[in-house]
Amino acid sequence: MAGTTPNTRRSAGTDDAELQNAYRMVSDVLAGAVRETLAAPGPDPARFAVRRLTAVDRDMPPDATPPGWSLAFLVLADWYDAARTALADHDDRSERALAWIGSNLGPRYAARARYTVAPLVDPADARETSHYVDALGVDFLASMVWTVAAVVAEFPAEDTAEVWPRTRADAAR
């Protein structure tokens, strides 16, 4: 590699490893929230996980990109992509997810998830979803967790304990 020193290469490798470790940690926390939501449906496991993951963001300057929120969003977006791809033959995937949320968490939470479910159908809709970040606050990411839980419930894997959108996203990495 022209123009780099061994220390530069090692630093880049260390940064990649640290990012992968952070991604895995965030993924573990979110998968736990999905499992808890499935075991005892309610909004709080997702909200607690989001608060835990975004706690580091409070120490950031207002104009900085919040690392906890950003990484949690990236993980959930990867899971949405994996679910959308796996469920391409199911045109009703978003409706079924919202119905599960409505039945198991309540209509208020299904209404919130309606603002974040669009990328499950079309990745081009992800940009539109970003308009609701401020309006939904902590429930923006939480509603994505609820949606993943609903997808896992409505389209179960052979291993019902598996958070299969995570498994598929990890395999794609």
Side-chain angles (χ1 to χ4, degrees), residues 19 22-26 30 66-76:
L19 180 59
Y23 183 97
R24 191 173 311 109
M25 186 275 303
V26 168
L30 294 171
W69 192 97
S70 299
L71 194 51
F73 178 77
L74 174 64
V75 168
L76 290 165

Side-chain angles (χ1 to χ4, degrees), residues 32-148:
V34 168
R35 286 187 190 97
E36 288 178 37
T37 301
L38 292 168
D44 291 334
R47 287 175 168 162
F48 178 75
V50 169
R51 280 193 304 273
R52 179 176 167 202
L53 295 171
T54 60
V56 67
D57 298 346
R58 287 181 230 142
D59 298 332
M60 301 300 296
D63 59 338
T65 301
W69 192 97
S70 299
L71 194 51
F73 178 77
L74 174 64
V75 168
L76 290 165
D78 285 352
W79 294 2
Y80 267 46
D81 287 344
R84 184 184 58 255
T85 301
L87 300 174
D89 294 339
H90 296 274
D91 293 336
D92 63 343
R93 60 190 172 270
S94 64
E95 292 82 13
R96 285 177 62 179
L98 291 171
W100 186 91
I101 294 167
S103 295
N104 291 276
L105 276 69
R108 172 188 311 175
Y109 304 105
R112 291 177 187 166
R114 184 167 299 286
Y115 293 106
T116 60
V117 76
L120 190 59
V121 177
D122 186 348
D125 293 336
R127 185 166 298 171
E128 176 186 321
T129 300
S130 69
H131 297 292
Y132 304 109
V133 171
D134 290 334
L136 291 174
V138 69
D139 278 351
F140 182 87
L141 291 175
S143 70
M144 292 179 75
V145 174
W146 303 331
T147 300
V148 171

